[in-house]
Amino acid sequence: MANRRTFLQLISQAPLVGGWFASSAVAAPSTKTPDYFASLGVKPFINAAGTYTMLTASLMPTEVMEAMSYASRRFYRLSEVQDAVGKRIAELLQAEAAMVTSGAAGALTCGTAACLTGDDPKKIQQLPDVTGLKNEVFVQKAHRYGYDHAVRATGARLVEIENAAELERAASERSAMMLFYNDADPRGQIHADEWVRLGKKLRITTFNDASADVPPVENLSKYLKLGFDLVTFSGGKGLCGPQSAGLLVGRKDLIAAARLNTSPYSDTISRGMKVNKEEMLGMLVALEMFIKRDHAAQGREWERRCGVIASAAKKFPSVTTEVVVPPIANHVPHLYLRWDDSKLRITPREVIQRLRAGDPAIEACPLTDDKQLVFTVWMLQSGEAELVARALTKILAKPV
Ligand SMILES: *Cc1c(COP(=O)(O)O)cnc(C)c1O
């Protein structure tokens, strides 16, 4: 129980003493959170771009924030939290085992380290020096990407191959892992099912990076069912969990070895990729919420938002719109706007700049070419599609 002094302090701070005191449901007096970022001069914006790390990716539901705040109030043994949260995540995803990592990139590092070291303490300590360790990681040429830096950080050496024959020829006792970048599947010659088959045949661990590949919710277990040994997902993209969290799921022995290669153990390659109890619990709660969500209703809402923005834009000369859903990563509606700039004298780049400079500020998808303006609507909050439509109308009405 609070002592008398703090109790009186609480009462004196409450703006409507009678009000909150009378209602027993209210546990604590309301304190107004200061607008910290405003006082620091950091401005918010409406996110019509998507789950970009640079744009702080996604927003956590209130329940996730509350779970993190709950977790912050007491001490717990970190390994017990990871054990329990991992077990529950594994059940949800029908995986042998799971752990919460520092984002998918952190999962790539400690997951790769697991393939290099197993549970051998000497080898774990030795990384990134790979003398005497198996350290070759196969990857298809078409699957090379920026995030493979997180794999190379362990001391692993990427060996590029393009087809099954090359892979079989190159496999040896130095082979540690076969990395698969899920979104690149259509671009490579060896597809997911064959990659898994080859991994089993050659007895090399297969790791699928499916970081940006939920929704759909089925993907959370699809790649394990296909036979991948390890799979990672970002926690802070479509799952709307903590931005600094991710999931590593798969074989029990590998998850155990991945855990030995990271925090809380000091002398490990991933020690800097720390995850505390708040992110672990927040990740679990976000995952549960994501699985339970009415995905069909959400899909209809995203369509509606695209419609709101598209119909505002289509009032202007020559504007055409198209909704595109990429097949694997970011599998959500992307609204494309195109126009003839001899009829509407503004470029997509200029529209993006004016949206960014507007009030409220709005971020559209980064420009890939200056032929179209692209929005995603899945990170918009209630009422924001209308604000985007209004801002766009204002800009297109005064193109120059
Ligand atoms: C975003 C992404 C990552 C990194 O994920 P984080 O959760 O931000 O660490 C890794 N791989 C792919 C394919 C991604 O899209």
mmCIF file of all heavy atoms in Angstrom, residues 229-267:
data_model
loop_
_atom_site.group_PDB
_atom_site.id
_atom_site.type_symbol
_atom_site.label_atom_id
_atom_site.label_comp_id
_atom_site.label_asym_id
_atom_site.label_seq_id
_atom_site.Cartn_x
_atom_site.Cartn_y
_atom_site.Cartn_z
ATOM 1 N N ASP A 229 15.246 -25.453 -41.839
ATOM 2 C CA ASP A 229 15.710 -25.689 -40.470
ATOM 3 C C ASP A 229 15.555 -24.452 -39.604
ATOM 4 O O ASP A 229 15.327 -24.540 -38.402
ATOM 5 C CB ASP A 229 17.186 -26.104 -40.484
ATOM 6 C CG ASP A 229 17.393 -27.415 -41.226
ATOM 7 O OD1 ASP A 229 16.762 -28.412 -40.822
ATOM 8 O OD2 ASP A 229 18.167 -27.445 -42.202
ATOM 9 N N LEU A 230 15.745 -23.282 -40.217
ATOM 10 C CA LEU A 230 15.610 -22.008 -39.507
ATOM 11 C C LEU A 230 14.828 -21.032 -40.383
ATOM 12 O O LEU A 230 14.987 -21.036 -41.614
ATOM 13 C CB LEU A 230 16.981 -21.397 -39.198
ATOM 14 C CG LEU A 230 17.843 -22.055 -38.110
ATOM 15 C CD1 LEU A 230 19.241 -21.425 -38.100
ATOM 16 C CD2 LEU A 230 17.193 -21.924 -36.734
ATOM 17 N N VAL A 231 14.008 -20.214 -39.743
ATOM 18 C CA VAL A 231 13.270 -19.163 -40.455
ATOM 19 C C VAL A 231 13.271 -17.932 -39.568
ATOM 20 O O VAL A 231 13.178 -18.050 -38.336
ATOM 21 C CB VAL A 231 11.803 -19.581 -40.744
ATOM 22 C CG1 VAL A 231 11.077 -18.502 -41.546
ATOM 23 C CG2 VAL A 231 11.723 -20.911 -41.471
ATOM 24 N N THR A 232 13.407 -16.761 -40.185
ATOM 25 C CA THR A 232 13.292 -15.531 -39.401
ATOM 26 C C THR A 232 12.227 -14.602 -39.965
ATOM 27 O O THR A 232 11.979 -14.579 -41.175
ATOM 28 C CB THR A 232 14.639 -14.780 -39.290
ATOM 29 O OG1 THR A 232 14.446 -13.633 -38.440
ATOM 30 C CG2 THR A 232 15.160 -14.293 -40.628
ATOM 31 N N PHE A 233 11.596 -13.866 -39.045
ATOM 32 C CA PHE A 233 10.642 -12.809 -39.385
ATOM 33 C C PHE A 233 10.991 -11.579 -38.565
ATOM 34 O O PHE A 233 11.371 -11.691 -37.401
ATOM 35 C CB PHE A 233 9.208 -13.223 -39.013
ATOM 36 C CG PHE A 233 8.706 -14.437 -39.748
ATOM 37 C CD1 PHE A 233 8.750 -15.696 -39.153
ATOM 38 C CD2 PHE A 233 8.205 -14.330 -41.039
ATOM 39 C CE1 PHE A 233 8.302 -16.823 -39.822
ATOM 40 C CE2 PHE A 233 7.755 -15.452 -41.723
ATOM 41 C CZ PHE A 233 7.806 -16.694 -41.107
ATOM 42 N N SER A 234 10.823 -10.407 -39.159
ATOM 43 C CA SER A 234 10.972 -9.165 -38.405
ATOM 44 C C SER A 234 9.828 -9.026 -37.427
ATOM 45 O O SER A 234 8.680 -9.305 -37.782
ATOM 46 C CB SER A 234 10.913 -7.964 -39.352
ATOM 47 O OG SER A 234 12.126 -7.811 -40.011
ATOM 48 N N GLY A 235 10.127 -8.546 -36.233
ATOM 49 C CA GLY A 235 9.061 -8.323 -35.265
ATOM 50 C C GLY A 235 8.329 -7.018 -35.487
ATOM 51 O O GLY A 235 7.157 -6.882 -35.153
ATOM 52 N N GLY A 236 9.020 -6.068 -36.055
ATOM 53 C CA GLY A 236 8.460 -4.719 -36.143
ATOM 54 C C GLY A 236 7.975 -4.328 -37.519
ATOM 55 O O GLY A 236 7.811 -3.149 -37.802
ATOM 56 N N LYS A 237 7.778 -5.291 -38.404
ATOM 57 C CA LYS A 237 7.170 -4.961 -39.704
ATOM 58 C C LYS A 237 5.687 -5.330 -39.639
ATOM 59 O O LYS A 237 4.980 -4.792 -38.808
ATOM 60 C CB LYS A 237 7.926 -5.669 -40.825
ATOM 61 C CG LYS A 237 9.339 -5.107 -41.003
ATOM 62 C CD LYS A 237 10.116 -5.798 -42.107
ATOM 63 C CE LYS A 237 11.523 -5.209 -42.195
ATOM 64 N NZ LYS A 237 12.406 -6.035 -43.058
ATOM 65 N N GLY A 238 5.253 -6.272 -40.466
ATOM 66 C CA GLY A 238 3.827 -6.618 -40.468
ATOM 67 C C GLY A 238 3.297 -7.112 -39.138
ATOM 68 O O GLY A 238 2.103 -6.983 -38.853
ATOM 69 N N LEU A 239 4.157 -7.667 -38.295
ATOM 70 C CA LEU A 239 3.689 -8.199 -37.015
ATOM 71 C C LEU A 239 3.368 -7.090 -36.010
ATOM 72 O O LEU A 239 2.717 -7.338 -34.997
ATOM 73 C CB LEU A 239 4.729 -9.153 -36.412
ATOM 74 C CG LEU A 239 4.973 -10.470 -37.170
ATOM 75 C CD1 LEU A 239 6.118 -11.262 -36.526
ATOM 76 C CD2 LEU A 239 3.710 -11.331 -37.193
ATOM 77 N N CYS A 240 3.849 -5.871 -36.280
ATOM 78 C CA CYS A 240 3.587 -4.720 -35.408
ATOM 79 C C CYS A 240 4.018 -4.963 -33.960
ATOM 80 O O CYS A 240 3.334 -4.560 -33.010
ATOM 81 C CB CYS A 240 2.118 -4.302 -35.461
ATOM 82 S SG CYS A 240 1.624 -3.751 -37.098
ATOM 83 N N GLY A 241 5.118 -5.639 -33.810
ATOM 84 C CA GLY A 241 5.714 -5.810 -32.486
ATOM 85 C C GLY A 241 6.800 -4.763 -32.300
ATOM 86 O O GLY A 241 6.918 -3.829 -33.091
ATOM 87 N N PRO A 242 7.633 -4.937 -31.253
ATOM 88 C CA PRO A 242 8.720 -3.984 -31.027
ATOM 89 C C PRO A 242 9.643 -3.919 -32.244
ATOM 90 O O PRO A 242 10.017 -4.949 -32.799
ATOM 91 C CB PRO A 242 9.456 -4.568 -29.823
ATOM 92 C CG PRO A 242 8.482 -5.486 -29.166
ATOM 93 C CD PRO A 242 7.594 -6.000 -30.244
ATOM 94 N N GLN A 243 9.996 -2.729 -32.631
ATOM 95 C CA GLN A 243 10.833 -2.508 -33.805
ATOM 96 C C GLN A 243 12.204 -3.148 -33.648
ATOM 97 O O GLN A 243 12.832 -3.544 -34.621
ATOM 98 C CB GLN A 243 10.931 -0.997 -34.037
ATOM 99 C CG GLN A 243 11.762 -0.520 -35.180
ATOM 100 C CD GLN A 243 11.470 -1.195 -36.506
ATOM 101 O OE1 GLN A 243 12.291 -1.183 -37.376
ATOM 102 N NE2 GLN A 243 10.317 -1.782 -36.645
ATOM 103 N N SER A 244 12.662 -3.288 -32.415
ATOM 104 C CA SER A 244 13.981 -3.864 -32.178
ATOM 105 C C SER A 244 13.921 -5.375 -31.930
ATOM 106 O O SER A 244 14.872 -5.957 -31.445
ATOM 107 C CB SER A 244 14.626 -3.180 -30.975
ATOM 108 O OG SER A 244 13.744 -3.258 -29.873
ATOM 109 N N ALA A 245 12.790 -6.007 -32.284
ATOM 110 C CA ALA A 245 12.659 -7.446 -32.041
ATOM 111 C C ALA A 245 12.402 -8.208 -33.333
ATOM 112 O O ALA A 245 11.990 -7.647 -34.342
ATOM 113 C CB ALA A 245 11.537 -7.718 -31.041
ATOM 114 N N GLY A 246 12.669 -9.500 -33.277
ATOM 115 C CA GLY A 246 12.397 -10.384 -34.401
ATOM 116 C C GLY A 246 12.231 -11.801 -33.883
ATOM 117 O O GLY A 246 12.392 -12.069 -32.695
ATOM 118 N N LEU A 247 11.879 -12.705 -34.791
ATOM 119 C CA LEU A 247 11.687 -14.104 -34.426
ATOM 120 C C LEU A 247 12.704 -14.966 -35.149
ATOM 121 O O LEU A 247 12.941 -14.774 -36.339
ATOM 122 C CB LEU A 247 10.287 -14.573 -34.867
ATOM 123 C CG LEU A 247 9.079 -13.893 -34.242
ATOM 124 C CD1 LEU A 247 7.807 -14.417 -34.896
ATOM 125 C CD2 LEU A 247 9.063 -14.155 -32.742
ATOM 126 N N LEU A 248 13.272 -15.906 -34.416
ATOM 127 C CA LEU A 248 14.058 -16.968 -35.036
ATOM 128 C C LEU A 248 13.396 -18.267 -34.610
ATOM 129 O O LEU A 248 13.276 -18.535 -33.407
ATOM 130 C CB LEU A 248 15.522 -16.922 -34.583
ATOM 131 C CG LEU A 248 16.419 -18.014 -35.187
ATOM 132 C CD1 LEU A 248 16.515 -17.892 -36.708
ATOM 133 C CD2 LEU A 248 17.826 -17.957 -34.584
ATOM 134 N N VAL A 249 12.935 -19.034 -35.584
ATOM 135 C CA VAL A 249 12.208 -20.263 -35.272
ATOM 136 C C VAL A 249 12.811 -21.426 -36.048
ATOM 137 O O VAL A 249 13.401 -21.241 -37.115
ATOM 138 C CB VAL A 249 10.694 -20.136 -35.616
ATOM 139 C CG1 VAL A 249 10.051 -19.053 -34.781
ATOM 140 C CG2 VAL A 249 10.467 -19.848 -37.096
ATOM 141 N N GLY A 250 12.657 -22.618 -35.490
ATOM 142 C CA GLY A 250 13.140 -23.795 -36.204
ATOM 143 C C GLY A 250 13.622 -24.893 -35.282
ATOM 144 O O GLY A 250 13.096 -25.061 -34.174
ATOM 145 N N ARG A 251 14.663 -25.596 -35.737
ATOM 146 C CA ARG A 251 15.149 -26.782 -35.030
ATOM 147 C C ARG A 251 15.650 -26.455 -33.622
ATOM 148 O O ARG A 251 16.355 -25.477 -33.418
ATOM 149 C CB ARG A 251 16.274 -27.424 -35.840
ATOM 150 C CG ARG A 251 15.884 -28.752 -36.471
ATOM 151 C CD ARG A 251 16.932 -29.238 -37.433
ATOM 152 N NE ARG A 251 18.269 -29.230 -36.855
ATOM 153 C CZ ARG A 251 19.382 -29.265 -37.589
ATOM 154 N NH1 ARG A 251 19.302 -29.305 -38.911
ATOM 155 N NH2 ARG A 251 20.556 -29.253 -37.013
ATOM 156 N N LYS A 252 15.294 -27.331 -32.712
ATOM 157 C CA LYS A 252 15.592 -27.136 -31.297
ATOM 158 C C LYS A 252 17.094 -26.957 -31.032
ATOM 159 O O LYS A 252 17.506 -26.055 -30.307
ATOM 160 C CB LYS A 252 15.079 -28.363 -30.539
ATOM 161 C CG LYS A 252 14.689 -28.102 -29.129
ATOM 162 C CD LYS A 252 13.968 -29.330 -28.578
ATOM 163 C CE LYS A 252 13.597 -29.076 -27.129
ATOM 164 N NZ LYS A 252 12.661 -30.058 -26.593
ATOM 165 N N ASP A 253 17.918 -27.842 -31.616
ATOM 166 C CA ASP A 253 19.362 -27.774 -31.349
ATOM 167 C C ASP A 253 19.947 -26.464 -31.894
ATOM 168 O O ASP A 253 20.852 -25.880 -31.285
ATOM 169 C CB ASP A 253 20.074 -28.982 -31.972
ATOM 170 C CG ASP A 253 19.898 -29.069 -33.482
ATOM 171 O OD1 ASP A 253 18.768 -28.801 -33.971
ATOM 172 O OD2 ASP A 253 20.868 -29.383 -34.197
ATOM 173 N N LEU A 254 19.411 -25.996 -33.009
ATOM 174 C CA LEU A 254 19.932 -24.752 -33.604
ATOM 175 C C LEU A 254 19.509 -23.522 -32.804
ATOM 176 O O LEU A 254 20.291 -22.580 -32.640
ATOM 177 C CB LEU A 254 19.455 -24.624 -35.054
ATOM 178 C CG LEU A 254 20.046 -25.647 -36.030
ATOM 179 C CD1 LEU A 254 19.310 -25.603 -37.361
ATOM 180 C CD2 LEU A 254 21.542 -25.385 -36.232
ATOM 181 N N ILE A 255 18.274 -23.531 -32.319
ATOM 182 C CA ILE A 255 17.818 -22.393 -31.496
ATOM 183 C C ILE A 255 18.633 -22.357 -30.199
ATOM 184 O O ILE A 255 19.069 -21.285 -29.750
ATOM 185 C CB ILE A 255 16.296 -22.495 -31.185
ATOM 186 C CG1 ILE A 255 15.478 -22.451 -32.490
ATOM 187 C CG2 ILE A 255 15.853 -21.400 -30.212
ATOM 188 C CD1 ILE A 255 15.562 -21.180 -33.276
ATOM 189 N N ALA A 256 18.877 -23.533 -29.633
ATOM 190 C CA ALA A 256 19.698 -23.586 -28.411
ATOM 191 C C ALA A 256 21.099 -23.030 -28.688
ATOM 192 O O ALA A 256 21.633 -22.237 -27.901
ATOM 193 C CB ALA A 256 19.779 -25.029 -27.905
ATOM 194 N N ALA A 257 21.677 -23.406 -29.835
ATOM 195 C CA ALA A 257 23.023 -22.920 -30.180
ATOM 196 C C ALA A 257 22.993 -21.423 -30.501
ATOM 197 O O ALA A 257 23.930 -20.692 -30.157
ATOM 198 C CB ALA A 257 23.563 -23.714 -31.365
ATOM 199 N N ALA A 258 21.925 -20.963 -31.135
ATOM 200 C CA ALA A 258 21.793 -19.522 -31.445
ATOM 201 C C ALA A 258 21.748 -18.730 -30.143
ATOM 202 O O ALA A 258 22.373 -17.670 -30.017
ATOM 203 C CB ALA A 258 20.541 -19.267 -32.282
ATOM 204 N N ARG A 259 21.029 -19.269 -29.155
ATOM 205 C CA ARG A 259 20.953 -18.572 -27.868
ATOM 206 C C ARG A 259 22.305 -18.496 -27.181
ATOM 207 O O ARG A 259 22.618 -17.501 -26.519
ATOM 208 C CB ARG A 259 19.909 -19.249 -26.960
ATOM 209 C CG ARG A 259 18.489 -18.899 -27.373
ATOM 210 C CD ARG A 259 17.455 -19.510 -26.463
ATOM 211 N NE ARG A 259 17.640 -19.126 -25.057
ATOM 212 C CZ ARG A 259 16.828 -19.495 -24.077
ATOM 213 N NH1 ARG A 259 15.768 -20.256 -24.349
ATOM 214 N NH2 ARG A 259 17.058 -19.120 -22.838
ATOM 215 N N LEU A 260 23.111 -19.533 -27.354
ATOM 216 C CA LEU A 260 24.450 -19.523 -26.733
ATOM 217 C C LEU A 260 25.373 -18.506 -27.410
ATOM 218 O O LEU A 260 26.407 -18.137 -26.846
ATOM 219 C CB LEU A 260 25.082 -20.918 -26.811
ATOM 220 C CG LEU A 260 24.417 -21.994 -25.951
ATOM 221 C CD1 LEU A 260 25.034 -23.358 -26.249
ATOM 222 C CD2 LEU A 260 24.540 -21.652 -24.464
ATOM 223 N N ASN A 261 25.011 -18.077 -28.615
ATOM 224 C CA ASN A 261 25.845 -17.149 -29.375
ATOM 225 C C ASN A 261 25.425 -15.684 -29.201
ATOM 226 O O ASN A 261 25.876 -14.824 -29.960
ATOM 227 C CB ASN A 261 25.787 -17.505 -30.867
ATOM 228 C CG ASN A 261 26.863 -18.515 -31.253
ATOM 229 O OD1 ASN A 261 28.034 -18.180 -31.302
ATOM 230 N ND2 ASN A 261 26.460 -19.757 -31.510
ATOM 231 N N THR A 262 24.530 -15.421 -28.255
ATOM 232 C CA THR A 262 24.065 -14.032 -28.119
ATOM 233 C C THR A 262 23.899 -13.646 -26.652
ATOM 234 O O THR A 262 24.185 -14.444 -25.752
ATOM 235 C CB THR A 262 22.758 -13.835 -28.934
ATOM 236 O OG1 THR A 262 22.439 -12.443 -28.982
ATOM 237 C CG2 THR A 262 21.573 -14.595 -28.368
ATOM 238 N N SER A 263 23.482 -12.416 -26.426
ATOM 239 C CA SER A 263 23.199 -11.913 -25.083
ATOM 240 C C SER A 263 22.220 -12.860 -24.401
ATOM 241 O O SER A 263 21.333 -13.387 -25.079
ATOM 242 C CB SER A 263 22.608 -10.510 -25.224
ATOM 243 O OG SER A 263 22.051 -10.079 -24.033
ATOM 244 N N PRO A 264 22.291 -13.125 -23.114
ATOM 245 C CA PRO A 264 23.084 -12.432 -22.094
ATOM 246 C C PRO A 264 24.526 -12.911 -21.965
ATOM 247 O O PRO A 264 25.215 -12.470 -21.044
ATOM 248 C CB PRO A 264 22.307 -12.743 -20.809
ATOM 249 C CG PRO A 264 21.711 -14.080 -21.053
ATOM 250 C CD PRO A 264 21.379 -14.111 -22.516
ATOM 251 N N TYR A 265 24.977 -13.804 -22.826
ATOM 252 C CA TYR A 265 26.347 -14.306 -22.683
ATOM 253 C C TYR A 265 27.333 -13.292 -23.256
ATOM 254 O O TYR A 265 27.186 -12.855 -24.398
ATOM 255 C CB TYR A 265 26.464 -15.683 -23.353
ATOM 256 C CG TYR A 265 25.383 -16.612 -22.846
ATOM 257 C CD1 TYR A 265 24.341 -17.019 -23.666
ATOM 258 C CD2 TYR A 265 25.360 -17.006 -21.508
ATOM 259 C CE1 TYR A 265 23.312 -17.816 -23.181
ATOM 260 C CE2 TYR A 265 24.337 -17.803 -21.009
ATOM 261 C CZ TYR A 265 23.320 -18.200 -21.848
ATOM 262 O OH TYR A 265 22.300 -18.974 -21.355
ATOM 263 N N SER A 266 28.315 -12.931 -22.449
ATOM 264 C CA SER A 266 29.189 -11.802 -22.782
ATOM 265 C C SER A 266 30.101 -12.077 -23.963
ATOM 266 O O SER A 266 30.213 -11.276 -24.872
ATOM 267 C CB SER A 266 30.065 -11.451 -21.588
ATOM 268 O OG SER A 266 29.268 -11.346 -20.445
ATOM 269 N N ASP A 267 30.733 -13.245 -23.941
ATOM 270 C CA ASP A 267 31.819 -13.491 -24.887
ATOM 271 C C ASP A 267 31.282 -14.153 -26.155
ATOM 272 O O ASP A 267 31.659 -15.254 -26.504
ATOM 273 C CB ASP A 267 32.868 -14.380 -24.189
ATOM 274 C CG ASP A 267 34.225 -14.307 -24.869
ATOM 275 O OD1 ASP A 267 34.306 -13.738 -25.966
ATOM 276 O OD2 ASP A 267 35.194 -14.849 -24.301
#
